[in-house]
Each structure stands twice: as structure tokens, then as C-alpha cells.
Amino acid sequence: MRNVLVAAVVAALCFACNGADQSYLEVPPTPRRAAVWVDENGLDAATSERMRAAGVDEIVVRIGGLNLAGQAPVLRFTPTAHVEGGIPVGIVLEVEGARPGLGETAAEAVWRALDNELRGKTPAEIILDTPRLSEGFDQFAESLTEVSGVSVVPLLSFEQLQEEDGLRLASVARTVVIPAFGSDGADLRGIGDLDPLPLSEKLEPLVGVDVRVRLAVVLSPRTDPAIEGPGDDLDPLTEVATVSTASILDRTFTFDRALTWSGRSWKPGDTLALRWVDAAKLQAALKEIHRLAMPEVAGWDLVSLPPEERSLGLGRDTLLRYLEGEGPEPSIEIRAERDGRNLRVFLANTGPFVTAVTNHGNWVQVSVEDGWIQARDSGSFDGLRLGNSVNGEWRESDLDRFNAVRFTEVYLGPGEHLDSGSVRLPSTRTRALIGWHLTLSDGSSVSGRLVR
């Protein structure tokens, strides 16, 4: 059987070489790799195995800074995160003082210090985060690769790619990490560079250059004013604050009532601007990365693995469940209970994924085809809107007669359960049409309909 298989393969290759089918001669595309950065808390074996099973190819840890301003390089090491499990680990150095004239001698000194700090463990790669480049820095990076035997990957911003020094460094390294999505200023620099240009135009200097890109998505939230720690869930904010899209970030909350949130006391009139990444935003970023035709995509970096207790944005378990194939939409269960002419609707999000924060995009609607209904209480929903549904189109109304009511929710959080106020139908024989529409942060929606 083995000889038969070998003969078949040889015959197929000969057939291809004769020009009948050139597909056998094509070079397969290089696989795209997923890297996840972790903070100083490191990674335990169980989470590492779960991430590996979910398709994570590499863990990245920051180990300190490198100052190249003087005659001798100075490395400043921070406590190194302990990473358990079998996933390869890359390291990040933040570089300052890059100057002309750096070369093999400086590279050898840096590698000796690194090798000593790592105690002989060879990293999967060395990422150099260099906010300011200098002429000839590409020669230093190339020399560091040669003396270490480890790939040196620069982290460059979109604006640095427009510069000759940045483009030359990218060409030497052949692979670069570029912060591209998420909260600018929260964990990596340069995400907002060259906005509002699309991703393909921001990367245009690399088109036709033999460079592969890894696009980084910053998962860490950002607030103004800043808060301590990872942040609490958004749901309490929507209950005591007015939400506006007129914001220096994504949303601004103006407090109507006092609240203690994320370790800080907020009083009426205070404002809080927020930017965060949930599963829908992450999926939108990954879709845009996958659509990029040129330059070639080497993969993506997620920065950083959320702490287990995070509630603002993606929590750790929610991220892992997304990587395992769940989401990004909420898991909706909806039911209606009737008692004669009275009807109530119950909505539950049984999963960890959430909706967008919106004043108008999340609702459950009850309508009738004939007659008028009555409703005055929003129940545990945030709001109640009265109107008329005509051929499926909603029209707001402040009249006493209306055939539809919408129960609105600014934000549907993980595991949240809601119940509407009572809706009084025209008769016990009236059919009630129940529809729902929930908006995700990427602009998509989840909707459905049932009849009671």
C-alpha cells in the first residue's frame, strides 16, 4: 500500500511538471500566527493550555527597557512574568536613546545582558518598541538578530512607516508589529496615527516591499479621568448617567445621581469618557485584518490578556470563550407571559457577550395589528417608548392611541435579566407581535420575532 501511494504522488508531480496542472507548484501561504501579550502576573499552566487549544501560537512578555544613548547599552529589567505551559514566549524591550552608529558591538553587548537575564532560555523573538528611530538603527537590529540567532521584530507606528528610517528597519526585519486597533494610549502607541485613513492606506508604504505585518489590537480600556484598576461593569453607569456619543473617546457618561464606580465616588454633574473593546469590536478588527490583501499579514497580537477580575471591556474568560469560537453576540432568551389581556415580556442574556451602549438601538417591541394597547411602566428596562407600527415601520407617537410599545435598554450586560411592565391588549383574542433588536458595538445587530 505504501509503494502504491508513493507511486501515485510521483505520478501526480510528474503530471504537474508537464504543465497540465501548475497548482502543485504553488508555494502555500505562510500560516498566520496569533500572539497574546501578558502583564507582570504571567500565565498559569491551565490558562496556557486553554489558550494553546484555542489557537494562540505565542505569549509575549515585557521584560524592561533598553537605553542606547551612551557608549555602552544600559538595560533595565522589570520583574519578568512567569509563563507556564508549552507556548513559545517572546520578549519586548522598550528602546530609548537610539542613535546613529549602533552596530555589531552594541548588539553583542545587549545580547550578552539578555542571555544572562534569561539564564540561557532562548525567546521566540525579541520585539523592539522604539518610539524614536535613528539613522542606521536597522543595522543594530540586523546585528542583534545575527548574534542572538533570534528574530528581532520592530514595533512601529503607522507614522514611522512613512519615514525612511522606519521603512528601512521594516525591510531588514521582514516582519513588524503595528498597533492598529483598540484604545489609543491605553497600552501601545500610535493606534490613532493617520486617522481617518483606512488600514490599507496607512500601510501603503509597505506594498511591494518584502515585509509581513502583525496588526496589534489593544484590549485595555481607557477612561478620562483615569481610574485605578481594571474597571467595573458598565451596567451601573447606564442606570444613573446620561450617555452621549459626543465624546473625546467612544462614549461620555454624565452622572445624574451619585455613584461609587471603579473605586471612585462620582457626584451629579461629573462626566466620564470611556473607550473599551468588547468581543464585537475585536471581531470587527480581526475581519479587517483578514481582508487586507497587501502587505502580507503575518498574524495579529492581542495586547494584553485581561485580568481575571476585569468587567470593563473584555474579561479574561470572555476573551478565551471568544477565541474558542463563541460570540460575539449575546445569548438571548426571550419569553412572554399572558394573563387574559395583560402581557409581560422577559429578556435574558445567558452568556458573557454584550450589546453596544446606545440610547436607541436596543429594544423589545410589543405591537398588535388591530386596535390599541396600553402601557405605562417600563419594568426593569431603562425606558419606555410609545408609537405605532405600520407595515413593520416604527413611528414615535405622543398620542393617546398607539398600537406598539418599545421597552429600551441602553446596555445589555453579561448574564442580565430584564422584565417589561404590563402591556394591556385590546382583547383576550388579540395576537401580540413581539420583536427584539439588539445592536452590537461593530454596528451589527441581533433580532428576532415571536407571536403570542
Side-chain angles (χ1 to χ4, degrees), residues 28-90:
T30 305
R32 296 176 174 180
R33 295 172 57 81
V36 176
W37 297 35
V38 300
D39 61 18
E40 64 277 2
N41 294 315
L43 193 64
D44 62 85
T47 305
S48 178
E49 174 57 26
R50 187 177 176 187
M51 292 171 65
R52 186 200 62 77
V56 175
D57 301 292
E58 181 183 337
I59 300 300
V60 177
V61 298
R62 291 181 170 96
I63 68 166
L66 170 60
N67 192 320
L68 296 170
Q71 290 302 310
V74 177
L75 283 91
R76 182 191 70 258
F77 295 108
T78 56
T80 304
H82 180 62
V83 177
E84 299 179 352
I87 305 180
V89 178

Side-chain angles (χ1 to χ4, degrees), residues 200-425:
S200 58
E201 293 188 30
K202 290 182 178 183
L203 294 172
E204 191 171 2
L206 295 179
V207 174
V209 181
D210 189 15
V211 175
R212 305 178 72 224
V213 296
R214 281 168 36 192
L215 287 309
V217 184
V218 174
L219 303 179
S220 306
R222 180 181 171 190
T223 70
D224 187 8
I227 59 173
E228 296 292 334
D232 295 338
D233 184 58
L234 286 170
D235 198 47
L237 292 182
T238 65
E239 297 174 1
V240 302
T242 302
V243 181
S244 172
T245 57
S247 175
I248 59 173
L249 298 177
D250 286 340
R251 295 288 188 275
T252 290
F253 294 80
T254 301
F255 288 85
D256 302 318
R257 303 197 305 272
L259 176 70
T260 298
W261 183 83
S262 294
R264 178 170 174 169
S265 296
W266 306 85
K267 61 182 184 297
D270 285 348
T271 60
L272 171 65
L274 291 175
R275 177 171 292 151
W276 68 97
V277 173
D278 59 17
K281 287 182 180 178
L282 174 57
Q283 177 152 300
L286 294 179
K287 282 183 176 180
E288 189 167 351
I289 292 171
H290 282 300
R291 286 195 298 265
L292 188 66
M294 295 180 69
E296 184 182 353
V297 174
W300 47 91
D301 290 43
L302 305 182
V303 186
S304 297
L305 180 67
E308 292 184 270
E309 70 274 14
R310 174 177 293 170
S311 296
L312 177 56
L314 276 172
R316 177 174 297 189
D317 184 66
T318 305
L319 172 62
L320 294 177
R321 289 174 67 168
Y322 171 77
L323 295 177
E324 290 165 343
E326 293 187 51
E329 66 280 347
S331 299
I332 300 302
E333 290 184 2
I334 193 162
R335 62 185 176 87
E337 293 182 359
R338 284 192 66 161
D339 181 11
R341 293 174 58 188
N342 298 314
L343 177 143
R344 294 179 68 196
V345 180
F346 299 84
L347 172 70
N349 176 15
T350 59
F353 303 99
V354 299
T355 68
V357 173
T358 169
N359 290 317
H360 304 285
N362 301 324
W363 47 262
V364 173
Q365 176 177 300
V366 179
S367 63
V368 296
E369 295 174 333
D370 298 303
W372 313 107
I373 62 178
Q374 299 175 17
R376 291 291 181 269
D377 181 11
S378 63
S380 60
F381 282 80
D382 289 330
L384 175 70
R385 299 179 186 274
L386 308 176
N388 288 285
S389 179
V390 181
N391 297 324
E393 295 292 328
W394 168 265
R395 297 177 183 174
E396 199 88 11
S397 174
D398 56 1
L399 302 176
D400 291 336
R401 291 186 172 186
F402 48 90
N403 71 354
V405 58
R406 282 186 174 179
F407 298 95
T408 60
E409 185 71 5
V410 174
Y411 167 78
L412 184 64
E416 189 169 5
H417 290 68
L418 301 169
D419 58 276
S420 73
S422 179
V423 178
R424 189 163 179 80
L425 306 174

Side-chain angles (χ1 to χ4, degrees), residues 39-171:
D39 61 18
E40 64 277 2
N41 294 315
L43 193 64
D44 62 85
T47 305
S48 178
E49 174 57 26
R50 187 177 176 187
M51 292 171 65
R52 186 200 62 77
V56 175
D57 301 292
E58 181 183 337
I59 300 300
V60 177
V61 298
R62 291 181 170 96
I63 68 166
L66 170 60
N67 192 320
L68 296 170
Q71 290 302 310
V74 177
L75 283 91
R76 182 191 70 258
F77 295 108
T78 56
T80 304
H82 180 62
V83 177
E84 299 179 352
I87 305 180
V89 178
I91 60 174
V92 183
L93 281 171
E94 185 171 348
V95 181
E96 59 180 330
R99 57 179 175 80
L102 294 168
E104 185 175 350
T105 301
E108 288 176 347
V110 169
W111 175 242
R112 283 196 302 270
L114 279 176
D115 193 38
N116 182 65
E117 178 69 17
L118 298 173
R119 296 171 184 169
K121 294 181 180 179
T122 303
E125 63 183 355
I126 302 171
I127 298 175
L128 298 181
D129 181 0
T130 312
R132 294 192 176 184
L133 299 174
S134 66
E135 182 180 353
F137 188 77
D138 55 298
Q139 298 171 8
F140 168 79
E142 187 174 26
S143 296
L144 184 56
T145 297
E146 292 173 353
V147 299
S148 66
V150 178
S151 295
V152 172
V153 179
L155 187 151
L156 299 175
S157 67
F158 290 120
E159 288 188 348
Q160 286 178 310
L161 292 177
Q162 317 303 311
E163 303 170 2
E164 185 177 340
D165 290 334
L167 193 57
R168 188 163 47 242
L169 176 59
S171 300

